[in-house]
Amino acid sequence: MMGGKVREQDKQLISTGSEWTFELIQEYDLAISEIAAEFGLDTYPNQIEVISSEQMMDAYSSIGMPVGYNHWSFGKQFITVENNYKRGRMGLAYEIVINSNPCIAYLMEENTMTMQALVIAHACYGHNSFFKGNYLFRTWTDASSIIDYLIFARNFIGQCEERYGLEAVEELLDSCHALMNYGVDRYKRPYPISAEEEERRQKEREEYRQRQLNDLWRTIPKSEAETGDDDARRFPEEPHENILYFIEKHAPLLENWQREVIRIVRKLAQYFYPQRQTQVMNEGWATFWHYTLLNELHQRGRVSDGFMLEFLQSHTSVIYQPPYDSPHYGGINPYALGFAMYSDLRRICESPTEEDRHWFPDIAGSNWVDTLHFAMRDFKDESFILQFLSPKVMRDLKLFSIRDDDRQKEIEVTAIHNEEGYRAVREQLAGQYNLGNREPNIQVYSVNTRGDRSLTLHHFQHQRRPLGEDTQEIMRHLHRLWGFDVHLHSVNDGEITASFHCPEPGMKAVHGRDDDPMLIPAPI
Amino acid sequence: MSYIIDRRLNSKKKSTVNRQRFLRRYRAHIKKAVGNAMTQRSITDLNKGEKIAIPTRDLSEPQFHHGQGGVNDRVLPGNKEFVQGDRIPRPGGGAGQGGAGSGASDRGEGMDEFVFQISQEEFLNFMFEGLELPNMVKRKLAGNDSFHTVRAGISEEGTPGRLNVVRSMRAANARRIALTAKKRRHLKTLLAQLTEEEQKDPALRDRNKIQALQEEVRALRQRIERVPFLDDFDLKYNLLVRQPRPSSKAVMFCLMDVSGSMNQATKDMAKRFFLLLYLFLQRNYERTEIVFIRHHTSAKEVDEEEFFYSRETGGTIVSSALKLMQKVMQERYPSSEWNIYGAQASDGDNWNDDSSTCYQLLVNNIMPEMQYYSYIEITPRDHQALWHEYEGVQSLFPDHFAMEQIIDVGDIYPVFRELFSKRVTS
């Protein structure tokens, strides 16, 4: 049926025009997959879906997932995407790829044949092999069950909306989204999620949870003296970094369905957690492979020079890194950095210089395919950069590090791309990709179980950096979830530098129907 | 093995629900924008979508992130002139130093408003939200519960006469492809093997293999052929349903003074008011008709163009218009069949003696037939006799009669809302 032509041998162009057909897509996919296999790329089966630009916008605004629960923020996202697209400010990304088994990749119907081939190489063999190989994805996500879980989540939240009203669910989701980044277990390996299992266990959890809560809150103060005692057993005994988890398990007033919703948001946060930690690696890997695979196709005479010119044109714009003082500068381009690093790794393996032998004695001159796979499998952005950022890449990108200390009048250039600076720049850059540095370190510190049930969180300051202006807003969300007073202290070297409270002292929190809880002065 | 799927025919509007959630959440902002638009737009494009701007800060989805201050280490690309130990003055007083690598946050300068487009439908929804037609009664024509049939998609069951050939063939085709795909793929490889074998040098041919292959090919072909061309469950039928034809219809009488005292600006204001009323009626009734009546000393039924644009001069006798309206009602719009709405615009001038005639006409002949009658007086001056007489009418028919004064264009929409706002106690 499809792909009627019998493939003969290499040295024959797959196509010459820019129009794509399903047969051609299949042929390109086959040709690319053969080369990918030769390079040892191990992938999930691919499910390539051809969609229209409108559908691409839909996919975009539901965090790239094919199904999702309904929430206004996705509507906002959709409107933003639609606006940008209509004004031509943004070419839609040519691809979205979903970490699932089979791995779903979207091709946009407007793309030319060259672009489709590029996307196939990039998404279906680059990203796909990364999802399957990288340790973070292997341990933290379960590709085979994510779609089922999303359907479960969508249905569950839909039922809650019917039963408890749109508003109640929307408020809850708002609060959960605000704390989404704090709904992740950073060190503990989660159980794989499964929709069926979830539904089955939901009931059990409900009962169990109720029992547990009662136990916690049953602690009635024994005597006056004991309540004011600092030595009283602190709860939780150890600080908790997973704030949403803590709330799900211990918030006194939440209904069971609310706990389930929190759990859903938490599970999704957990699913996206590896992606947030492997931007450079993931995009770099996919970019390196589309470049390598398509060049290989060209060398074998399967694609024309015109194809390569079109491909290179979009490839170079993808990996362009504007300098820091350019108006287009928007941070370090993960495609550019990742591509440069993987390409340089290959160079170090294939034709090492004296410098490389000094910096990378283990890998200089080794088999490049094995080395790259190793570098893809067992690292995340932070450790990947710390381990593999070579002096040459630093020189090529002209990286330099600065220190902006609010106690100094000027910004100091702490290191540049020279012999003395390489290590410092590399460490600095790696630190920049450490989520622990990027996001404020906030943990549940204690719950006043014997008094007003207030929840206290501590923010451990990193390099004296304070919390941003959204903090008070999030305190209100925390308060909505916890149901009692919430306190947050910024701690620097054992000293409290700032405190946030909800309700703010002298104010009384009132939960508005439409809005966030508004703050009104308490009657005197 | 990759699967390639054409999803282009799948539904496109996946994000509609989320978009509606978004509009619902920000309806206060949108309503305000719609209200503003109403006062600024020209008459002809009232019936369009609108650009809505919402301050970005109201839309924020808060996240914990670092604020300014403390020690901030960053690595930047594209060094040109710096060496280690250089000191650089802070650019722009510390602005633009957003959190290091905090990726997607667009906050800060640039966009301080989130702008998007709402459609005409949404615009009108917001425009008339919270409004209600007073005394809306669906008057049914006695014994005229007529039905009409409309197409309602495709069904699995039906009479042969309604067979949808295209859909049936498509379903059959899909089924055949699905049921034979694997066999045909197999067949193709078998045929390839067979030709390969047959092209070999005769001495090297493996006759047994050829025979086995031929046998297998034949069996496979038979199995493919056995898949029926058209099966029972491929058949699709056009589905027709009967819908009751709504028998509620409304007529709207637009009465306007075109005497010398009404200038073009005043008439424009009146026109906007009528237009709003017309749009509003249209949304509430299946069928809406309009009767335009203009008057100076005598009244005349005219078409829209003439109603709004031709100029007349002379004195004013309001009762002439009311008389004509009553006549038209009797002849063409019996109140047993029609919901009758009246809207009158004037600058308040009238022959003094005539105002009491108007009162009599309204109270005795017109108001009993009316769903709702609204009178707007477009004048910055003090009220005259007509207004005072109408106040008398209002006290007799408080639920069916409303009057307001309009001074300039900006008043029209608020006054309109005032006239038609939902009444809790009605």
Side-chain angles (χ1 to χ4, degrees):
Chain A
M1 8 173 319
M2 280 179 163
K5 271 180 273 173
V6 181
R7 248 173 25 80
E8 290 175 20
Q9 75 269 57
D10 291 353
K11 286 282 168 204
Q12 190 184 10
L13 295 181
I14 301 174
S15 73
T16 46
S18 64
E19 291 298 314
W20 61 268
T21 62
F22 284 99
E23 286 76 14
L24 284 177
I25 288 182
Q26 204 171 37
E27 279 192 59
Y28 273 103
D29 177 65
L30 194 63
I32 293 170
S33 76
E34 282 168 3
I35 301 176
E38 287 171 29
F39 284 121
L41 292 180
D42 180 22
T43 58
Y44 295 119
N46 278 305
Q47 179 167 324
I48 300 172
E49 305 196 352
V50 180
I51 59 175
S52 65
S53 60
E54 263 178 82
Q55 288 167 318
M56 186 58 116
M57 287 193 270
D58 281 338
Y60 238 77
S61 37
S62 51
I63 32 180
M65 304 310 273
V67 279
Y69 53 83
N70 291 320
H71 188 252
W72 67 270
S73 60
F74 304 135
K76 172 185 156 188
Q77 182 67 25
F78 176 74
I79 291 169
T80 316
V81 171
E82 193 184 36
N83 273 350
N84 287 345
Y85 183 60
K86 276 188 185 156
R87 277 186 228 151
R89 247 207 330 238
M90 175 183 95
L92 281 177
Y94 342 102
E95 47 104 3
I96 284 187
V97 54
I98 294 165
N99 170 23
S100 62
N101 184 7
C103 180
I104 303 173
Y106 294 137
L107 300 187
M108 232 179 11
E109 65 169 336
E110 281 88 344
N111 287 347
T112 60
M113 190 61 242
T114 306
M115 293 310 295
Q116 309 291 33
L118 167 59
V119 173
I120 291 172
H122 183 90
C124 304
Y125 295 93
H127 283 307
N128 187 344
S129 59
F130 192 87
F131 292 149
K132 196 172 177 188
N134 182 268
Y135 85 103
L136 278 172
F137 285 89
R138 293 178 77 95
T139 39
W140 295 86
T141 64
D142 183 356
S144 57
S145 64
I146 182 65
I147 303 289
D148 285 344
Y149 187 78
L150 285 170
I151 294 171
F152 158 77
R154 181 197 174 91
N155 291 343
F156 183 80
I157 288 180
Q159 283 164 13
C160 288
E161 283 172 347
E162 276 172 30
R163 212 174 289 172
Y164 308 103
L166 286 181
E167 243 140 58
V169 177
E170 184 175 290
E171 281 179 1
L172 180 65
L173 282 175
D174 284 352
S175 300
C176 292
H177 286 179
L179 293 165
M180 200 161 176
N181 289 347
Y182 294 84
V184 193
D185 289 319
R186 277 162 220 260
Y187 307 107
K188 208 167 49 181
R189 187 186 184 285
Y191 294 105
I193 46 175
S194 132
E196 257 173 72
E197 190 77 342
E198 278 298 301
E199 255 162 316
R200 200 175 57 71
R201 288 209 314 245
Q202 198 173 300
K203 266 254 140 55
E204 286 173 35
R205 265 204 307 272
E206 243 169 59
E207 289 164 17
Y208 173 73
R209 212 181 263 141
Q210 215 51 49
R211 252 184 292 138
Q212 267 225 318
L213 274 177
N214 292 343
D215 282 347
L216 172 58
W217 297 109
R218 204 183 287 138
T219 18
I220 301 160
K222 283 172 197 146
S223 72
E224 271 297 306
E226 222 173 356
T227 40
D229 199 351
D230 282 350
D231 295 336
R233 188 174 62 104
R234 192 162 65 82
F235 180 81
E237 281 171 16
E238 297 290 330
H240 254 261
E241 50 153 15
N242 193 335
I243 300 176
L244 276 184
Y245 179 80
F246 187 84
I247 289 173
E248 179 196 330
K249 296 297 174 197
H250 301 296
L253 297 181
L254 290 181
E255 307 265 346
N256 279 317
W257 67 269
Q258 291 172 313
R259 292 179 209 277
E260 284 298 334
V261 170
I262 296 177
R263 187 181 169 82
I264 285 170
V265 175
R266 225 161 45 70
K267 290 279 170 190
L268 290 183
Q270 194 80 62
Y271 174 80
F272 286 112
Y273 186 56
Q275 311 215 344
R276 294 199 295 136
Q277 291 185 93
T278 53
Q279 271 184 339
V280 172
M281 287 181 75
N282 199 345
E283 292 303 353
W285 177 259
T287 308
F288 174 81
W289 281 111
H290 79 225
Y291 182 77
T292 310
L293 292 173
L294 292 186
N295 267 308
E296 194 62 33
L297 269 188
H298 185 232
Q299 266 173 20
R300 296 184 187 185
R302 307 300 313 277
V303 296
S304 65
D305 293 346
F307 176 101
M308 284 313 275
L309 280 178
E310 187 186 346
F311 152 66
L312 283 171
Q313 202 242 345
S314 52
H315 174 74
T316 39
S317 60
V318 164
I319 60 160
Y320 175 60
Q321 173 64 65
Y324 74 97
D325 51 357
S326 149
H328 302 292
Y329 179 70
I332 290 177
N333 177 353
Y335 291 83
L337 180 60
F339 178 72
M341 285 180 66
Y342 283 114
S343 304
D344 201 53
L345 266 181
R346 179 176 180 175
R347 182 195 60 77
I348 292 171
C349 294
E350 285 183 331
S351 46
T353 62
E354 216 25 62
E355 183 185 54
D356 297 325
R357 288 189 200 285
H358 173 68
W359 280 75
F360 303 100
D362 295 348
I363 57 174
S366 66
N367 178 319
W368 72 268
V369 175
D370 293 343
T371 306
L372 256 72
H373 271 90
F374 167 70
M376 173 273 283
R377 263 197 303 273
D378 298 334
F379 296 88
K380 55 181 170 181
D381 279 351
E382 183 196 2
S383 51
F384 174 68
I385 290 171
L386 205 54
Q387 196 72 231
F388 296 111
L389 184 65
S390 67
K392 178 163 187 307
V393 173
M394 285 186 258
R395 279 195 304 270
D396 289 349
L397 287 171
K398 298 193 168 55
L399 295 178
F400 67 111
S401 81
I402 56 167
R403 164 161 291 202
D404 180 2
D405 185 340
D406 60 350
R407 288 180 187 163
Q408 306 287 324
K409 243 175 41 204
E410 287 160 324
I411 294 173
E412 188 191 343
V413 177
T414 44
I416 67 160
H417 42 89
N418 60 15
E419 205 56 54
E420 306 89 77
Y422 288 141
R423 277 182 204 284
V425 169
R426 183 156 87 172
E427 267 171 43
Q428 206 62 258
L429 188 64
Q432 204 158 303
Y433 285 96
N434 179 356
L435 281 185
N437 296 349
R438 235 154 69 179
E439 289 167 357
N441 174 6
I442 297 172
Q443 303 184 357
V444 173
Y445 180 71
S446 72
V447 173
N448 186 343
T449 47
R450 306 177 176 204
D452 60 2
R453 296 185 172 188
S454 64
L455 171 73
T456 305
L457 296 103
H458 279 184
H459 163 223
F460 298 99
Q461 280 180 290
H462 176 66
Q463 296 189 327
R464 290 194 290 104
R465 299 183 64 190
L467 287 173
E469 72 268 29
D470 278 356
T471 310
Q472 193 56 45
E473 186 99 357
I474 304 173
M475 292 300 285
R476 274 178 243 161
H477 285 299
L478 259 172
H479 178 255
R480 180 191 280 158
L481 292 176
W482 184 250
F484 293 95
D485 292 8
V486 185
H487 310 289
L488 168 63
H489 303 297
S490 284
V491 182
N492 192 36
D493 286 343
E495 234 176 89
I496 293 183
T497 54
S499 290
F500 303 87
H501 307 278
C502 186
E504 284 177 89
M507 311 273 256
K508 190 175 162 223
V510 172
H511 288 278
R513 279 183 56 86
D514 281 344
D515 291 309
D516 294 329
M518 291 183 309
L519 291 174
I520 56 160
I524 304 159
Chain B
M1 177 68 203
S2 300
Y3 305 94
I4 300 171
I5 303 172
D6 186 357
R7 291 261 190 239
R8 287 171 296 174
L9 292 174
N10 278 29
S11 65
K12 292 189 173 78
K13 303 280 181 196
K14 243 191 200 169
S15 298
T16 313
V17 180
N18 290 328
R19 185 187 153 90
Q20 274 160 357
R21 294 279 164 89
F22 176 81
L23 295 183
R24 190 175 147 275
R25 186 180 172 93
Y26 292 99
R27 58 177 176 258
H29 289 93
I30 298 172
K31 256 165 96 171
K32 209 174 118 204
V34 167
N36 287 340
M38 282 302 306
T39 56
Q40 281 153 19
R41 281 199 185 179
S42 79
I43 296 163
T44 41
D45 61 11
L46 269 183
N47 208 352
K48 272 204 317 215
E50 174 63 20
K51 225 183 219 174
I52 305 289
I54 297 175
T56 320
R57 72 190 138 72
D58 291 354
L59 289 174
S60 74
E61 297 160 76
Q63 295 280 323
F64 277 126
H65 59 84
H66 283 123
Q68 277 180 34
V71 181
N72 206 339
D73 287 320
R74 281 197 293 166
V75 174
L76 301 172
N79 180 23
K80 294 180 189 70
E81 69 269 28
F82 303 128
V83 293
Q84 188 180 349
D86 274 357
R87 292 186 166 271
I88 321 161
R90 279 206 180 80
Q97 293 276 334
S102 64
S105 79
D106 284 347
R107 49 189 66 249
E109 56 243 50
M111 291 262 287
D112 39 353
E113 286 204 320
F114 182 80
V115 182
F116 61 99
Q117 193 84 24
I118 57 173
S119 68
Q120 174 208 7
E121 181 68 21
E122 286 162 342
F123 180 78
L124 291 177
N125 271 337
F126 279 107
M127 194 158 96
F128 295 125
E129 201 189 67
L131 299 186
E132 178 184 70
L133 269 179
N135 323 314
M136 188 166 105
V137 185
K138 300 254 179 190
R139 299 193 179 191
K140 280 203 173 157
L141 290 174
N144 189 11
D145 284 314
S146 63
F147 286 91
H148 59 149
T149 38
V150 290
R151 298 187 59 165
I154 301 294
S155 148
E156 301 278 317
E157 291 164 359
T159 56
R162 298 222 173 110
L163 184 73
N164 185 323
V165 178
V166 174
R167 285 297 195 96
S168 303
M169 294 316 284
R170 194 194 286 168
N173 197 22
R175 177 181 50 79
R176 286 200 308 274
I177 290 174
L179 287 180
T180 60
K182 208 170 151 193
K183 296 188 194 90
R184 275 186 294 157
R185 205 175 297 136
H186 189 44
L187 179 66
K188 214 159 80 180
T189 48
L190 285 180
L191 284 176
Q193 283 174 20
L194 196 59
T195 29
E196 193 187 344
E197 197 64 36
E198 277 172 343
Q199 275 166 358
K200 277 185 193 165
D201 190 84
L204 292 171
R205 275 186 213 161
D206 182 345
R207 279 175 211 292
N208 286 340
K209 192 178 172 192
I210 291 181
Q211 207 166 21
L213 280 171
Q214 278 170 338
E215 190 59 34
E216 211 174 333
V217 165
R218 204 159 46 83
L220 212 50
R221 282 209 166 117
Q222 259 175 8
R223 285 172 63 195
I224 291 173
E225 267 166 31
R226 231 173 283 146
V227 174
F229 183 77
L230 196 61
D231 207 337
D232 275 353
F233 55 83
D234 297 331
L235 299 181
K236 303 278 181 273
Y237 301 89
N238 291 330
L239 181 65
L240 298 177
V241 294
R242 261 153 59 90
Q243 277 184 347
R245 203 188 290 276
S247 49
S248 62
K249 30 191 188 175
V251 60
M252 168 178 152
F253 284 90
C254 296
L255 276 60
M256 186 165 66
D257 183 0
V258 289
S259 62
S261 56
M262 291 282 283
N263 57 26
Q264 194 57 44
T266 326
K267 277 201 274 186
D268 259 2
M269 280 192 250
K271 177 172 183 182
R272 275 178 187 228
F273 184 82
F274 292 137
L275 210 96
L276 273 179
L277 189 58
Y278 176 65
L279 286 177
F280 189 43
L281 284 177
Q282 253 191 338
R283 298 174 68 75
N284 282 290
Y285 287 100
E286 194 75 11
R287 206 170 130 208
T288 317
E289 292 195 2
I290 313 188
V291 176
F292 294 105
I293 295 175
R294 60 195 205 117
H295 69 90
H296 35 95
T297 49
S298 67
K300 193 172 155 201
E301 191 186 340
V302 295
D303 63 12
E304 187 181 345
E305 189 64 20
E306 199 178 344
F307 183 71
F308 288 115
Y309 296 110
S310 79
R311 299 218 52 171
E312 299 269 343
T313 49
T316 315
I317 295 177
V318 177
S319 65
S320 63
L322 294 176
K323 274 184 198 139
L324 181 62
M325 176 176 170
Q326 193 198 344
K327 190 168 146 245
V328 175
M329 270 161 61
Q330 275 167 2
E331 283 169 3
R332 310 208 307 254
Y333 302 104
S335 63
S336 55
E337 283 176 35
W338 293 83
N339 293 288
I340 305 176
Y341 291 83
Q344 183 186 1
S346 133
D347 59 358
D349 278 342
N350 198 7
W351 282 94
N352 266 348
D353 307 347
D354 186 55
S355 293
S356 55
T357 323
C358 292
Y359 175 82
Q360 293 302 331
L361 266 172
L362 274 172
V363 170
N364 298 330
N365 303 81
I366 296 180
M367 283 316 293
E369 314 276 299
M370 277 285 140
Q371 298 293 334
Y372 198 60
Y373 192 95
S374 56
Y375 170 65
I376 53 164
E377 192 163 297
I378 308 166
T379 176
R381 287 168 286 139
D382 283 344
H383 300 306
Q384 300 179 40
L386 188 66
W387 179 272
H388 300 302
E389 293 288 348
Y390 274 20
E391 275 175 347
V393 182
Q394 194 181 20
S395 61
L396 281 178
F397 301 94
D399 289 340
H400 299 258
F401 190 93
M403 48 196 286
E404 288 286 344
Q405 183 185 9
I406 288 176
I407 293 169
D408 64 34
V409 184
D411 289 344
I412 295 173
Y413 186 56
V415 163
F416 183 82
R417 290 198 72 88
E418 177 60 31
L419 287 176
F420 291 95
S421 63
K422 255 182 197 147
R423 262 148 251 199
V424 194
T425 55
S426 65

